[in-house]
Amino acid sequence: MGELTGRVAVVTGAASGNGRAIALRLARDGADVAIADLDDAGMAETAQAIGREGRACLAQRCDVSSKADVDALFDAVAARFGRVDVAVANAGVVERGSHCLTMTEQEWDRTTGVNLKGVFFTLQVAAQRMIAARTPGRLIAISSIMGEWGNATSPAYCASKGGVKQLVKSFATAVGHAGITCNAIGPGFIRTAMTGPVFENAAMERFLVDRTPNGNIGDPDDVAAVAAFLA
């Protein structure tokens, strides 16, 4: 019996990378898991892996920047599992190579729509369901070290990830009375498909290793371990 046996978790952006690792770790710890993404093939692979852990899985196509999609996700979770105990707002995108001075309105809106508005909707709807059910739940959002550093060629990503930190503080003050915790995880550079192009540059990888106190680049299981602790 795992520590999350009998619990239901929702993980957005779970088709690959950190999201998949988080979903699998929560399943190994005993939770049934609802996963959401726009990558149907990736979600199918994650769902199969959760099944191999002996846990139930709901896979729901969801654009987290759409409030209607997020509502539909949690409606589906309620219909399948009847409750939600843990919500992980992980879905994110990055606008590689879009300089502060040349970034388009479309690029800005897409990135902040997923990374910040999407986190807001996910936490908001999850919290509403938890409070209505009097569930002492756990809200978790994925920020990034880029919310601290800044980068001339990914300003919307950096701004959105910095915003996630403040958003989580706001939710923590709003839901603590109901026995719900809200935390953010701010990973450094993790080896995923999103960061793959970064590590193709040997000089950049060396730079990142040198800036990391223990001299290691993390992998998604590291992030998943923190999410499991918070869950």
Side-chain angles (χ1 to χ4, degrees):
M1 299 286 285
E3 291 187 45
L4 296 178
T5 298
R7 306 287 183 86
V8 174
V10 178
V11 183
T12 66
S16 62
N18 293 330
R20 175 179 290 176
I22 291 168
L24 291 178
R25 174 58 188 268
L26 298 182
R28 291 187 190 112
D29 284 357
D32 292 325
V33 186
I35 58 175
D37 209 296
L38 292 176
D39 177 357
D40 294 324
M43 272 202 297
E45 292 177 6
T46 302
Q48 289 170 4
I50 291 171
R52 289 193 291 271
E53 298 295 334
R55 306 313 308 170
C57 180
L58 166 71
Q60 175 90 2
R61 186 174 177 83
C62 178
D63 176 356
V64 296
S65 68
S66 162
K67 176 64 159 52
D69 272 22
V70 176
D71 282 333
L73 167 63
F74 282 90
D75 285 343
V77 173
R80 174 71 181 276
F81 298 115
R83 60 185 295 148
V84 58
D85 301 278
V86 180
V88 184
N90 166 78
V93 295
V94 63
E95 76 294 354
R96 254 183 220 97
S98 297
H99 195 278
C100 285
L101 301 182
T102 58
M103 184 176 204
T104 67
E105 182 177 6
Q106 182 180 19
E107 289 171 327
W108 174 270
D109 287 347
R110 173 58 178 160
T111 303
T112 59
V114 173
N115 294 3
L116 189 55
K117 187 167 70 168
V119 170
F120 172 73
F121 288 153
T122 302
L123 299 183
Q124 181 189 58
V125 177
Q128 290 169 344
R129 304 298 174 100
M130 291 172 181
I131 290 171
R134 298 187 178 181
T135 300
R138 304 289 179 257
L139 303 176
I140 303 166
I142 306 301
S143 181
S144 168
I145 196 169
M146 298 310 294
E148 303 284 348
W149 284 4
N151 188 323
T153 57
S154 52
Y157 184 84
C158 295
S160 63
K161 291 301 186 179
V164 166
K165 294 195 310 173
Q166 293 302 110
L167 189 59
V168 161
K169 293 175 185 178
S170 297
F171 268 96
T173 65
V175 301
H177 72 280
I180 300 170
T181 62
C182 187
N183 291 278
I185 302 171
F189 278 81
I190 305 295
R191 294 188 190 276
T192 66
M194 180 182 287
T195 60
V198 174
F199 295 116
E200 290 173 1
N201 183 320
M204 178 58 71
E205 179 167 4
R206 184 72 260 164
F207 169 76
L208 294 173
V209 169
D210 289 344
R211 289 198 67 169
T212 304
N214 68 359
N216 291 317
I217 299 298
D219 64 43
D221 286 340
D222 296 324
V223 181
V226 180
F229 169 76
L230 293 173

